[in-house]
Amino acid sequence: MIRRKNAGKVDPLKSESPILVAEATSPVTLPPASTRNQKPTLRIRPTKGWAALHVGELWRYRDLVWILVNRDIKLLYKQTALGFGWVALQPLIGAIILAVIFGPVDRFASDGVPYLLFVFCGLTAWTYFSQSMQRARYSLIRNSQLVSKVYFPRMLIPLATIVAVLVDFAVMIVMLFVFMGIYGFPPTLRLLAIPGFLILMMLAATGVALWFSAVSVKYRDTSYAFPFFAQIWMYASPVVYPTSMVASKVPAQWQTVYALNPAVGFIEGFRWAVLGHSALNLNMLLITIAMSLFLLFSGAFFFRRVERGFADII
């Protein structure tokens, strides 16, 4: 066994020996093995500012639209005595009342068309437009339990309501064809333009409905303001009078302002497709298309901006 000679000797500390002081560093400690094996926590927070429309997400949830449409139609007409007859009675009675009041008045011209048919044609387009806005504006409130518990694109709720109103529009179209046969207006190829003007109605109605439905979540008194707003809008549109009467009495610079109302373009276009008598021109049509798209995109972006707080305040 080999012994080291200096193994047990320790040199004494001399006064002249230098003393070295090393700075202590904090030891590196590793987390426990159980913590290292855990997955990181993912926190989902609402976005800030303006959000994208995410049209692709709406398309992925398209099956939900048909479920909501089917449900809305069943809830609206379930256990009713007349069913779809109520859809036909509303514009019919309105057209008869307007024809009795304004028909004998000479200043309410109808472009050579019988006044009852003229008014009913305008009410067919206006009724779809107003009913779409009226039902969709309160659709989020009616589906508050669905909004607050399940995630899906909230925009689908007012969109489904607007699609469901197409059933009412189909009933009114059938009645309009009956009136055309009674007054001797045969169908023409112009009827093929009805889907195009219907798309314009849907675009404008969707934009206004998105604005009102988003605002109604926080301010419930919009239910009182909307009927008043819709009534003013109807009389500002050529429902009971033709646009040609406005053109003959209003200066040219104000006619462009009047055409900014999208209802002017699609009501006159609808009359042209059905009756062949209308004051529709290319300028009015282009303004209607631009205003309908403006209402749609402005309403959609506003809806996306405020929908992040729907579940908290609805």
Side-chain angles (χ1 to χ4, degrees):
M1 185 175 181
I2 301 174
R3 294 182 180 180
R4 295 181 181 179
K5 298 179 179 181
N6 300 327
K9 295 181 180 181
V10 178
D11 295 335
L13 181 62
K14 300 180 181 179
S15 59
E16 62 272 10
S17 300
I19 300 177
L20 300 178
V21 179
E23 183 179 357
T25 58
S26 57
V28 178
T29 57
L30 296 176
S34 59
T35 306
R36 284 179 293 179
N37 295 332
Q38 292 179 356
K39 295 183 179 180
T41 302
L42 177 62
R43 295 183 179 180
I44 301 176
R45 296 178 179 177
T47 58
K48 297 181 179 179
W50 296 98
L53 295 181
H54 296 302
V55 180
E57 187 181 27
L58 296 176
W59 177 253
R60 288 195 298 270
Y61 283 84
R62 62 188 180 275
D63 294 337
L64 181 59
V65 175
W66 302 115
I67 295 174
L68 295 174
V69 169
N70 188 30
R71 187 204 59 175
D72 288 347
I73 295 175
K74 289 182 178 180
L75 291 177
L76 189 61
Y77 297 109
K78 186 179 181 180
Q79 295 180 343
T80 56
L82 296 180
F84 294 108
W86 293 112
V87 179
L89 284 177
Q90 181 179 354
L92 178 61
I93 295 175
I96 293 175
I97 293 175
L98 292 173
V100 170
I101 296 176
F102 298 117
V105 183
D106 293 335
R107 62 189 179 90
F108 279 89
S110 56
D111 292 337
V113 180
Y115 192 76
L116 180 60
L117 179 61
F118 175 86
V119 173
F120 189 81
C121 185
L123 281 177
T124 301
W126 173 257
T127 301
Y128 171 76
F129 182 65
S130 61
Q131 287 294 325
S132 298
M133 295 186 298
Q134 183 174 354
R135 296 183 192 176
R137 67 182 172 86
Y138 221 57
S139 57
L140 294 174
I141 306 299
R142 292 196 306 267
N143 296 275
S144 58
Q145 298 296 328
L146 192 61
V147 171
S148 59
K149 292 184 179 180
V150 183
Y151 174 76
F152 62 94
R154 308 291 192 255
M155 199 180 296
L156 292 180
I157 295 180
L159 290 179
T161 304
I162 291 173
V163 174
V165 186
L166 287 174
V167 177
D168 299 0
F169 182 75
V171 175
M172 290 185 291
I173 282 289
V174 172
M175 288 193 60
L176 181 59
F177 289 161
V178 172
F179 271 92
M180 291 174 60
I182 294 175
Y183 284 100
F185 280 79
T188 63
L189 293 177
R190 291 188 305 270
L191 295 177
L192 298 178
I194 290 180
F197 294 109
L198 177 60
I199 291 175
L200 288 179
M201 296 182 215
M202 295 181 67
L203 295 179
T206 302
V208 178
L210 291 176
W211 275 99
F212 272 93
S213 61
V215 173
S216 65
V217 173
K218 187 174 182 180
Y219 303 104
R220 304 299 174 87
D221 52 354
T222 55
S223 59
Y224 303 102
F226 182 82
F228 178 71
F229 170 77
Q231 187 176 12
I232 294 177
W233 198 344
M234 189 192 80
Y235 287 110
S237 306
V239 177
V240 299
Y241 58 86
T243 305
S244 57
M245 186 183 73
V246 178
S248 62
K249 297 183 178 181
V250 176
Q253 61 269 22
W254 290 103
Q255 293 179 19
T256 304
V257 178
Y258 178 72
L260 291 177
N261 177 6
V264 174
F266 61 69
I267 290 177
E268 287 294 337
F270 189 77
R271 281 202 180 106
W272 173 82
V274 175
L275 306 176
H277 297 76
S278 175
L280 182 69
N281 53 49
L282 181 59
N283 184 41
M284 183 185 299
L285 180 61
L286 293 177
I287 293 176
T288 301
I289 294 174
M291 289 303 299
S292 299
L293 293 175
F294 171 75
L295 288 174
L296 175 66
F297 284 106
S298 63
F301 277 108
F302 176 75
F303 190 95
R304 287 286 296 163
R305 180 180 175 87
V306 301
E307 73 168 335
R308 59 177 68 99
F310 285 169
D312 298 327
I313 62 178
I314 195 167

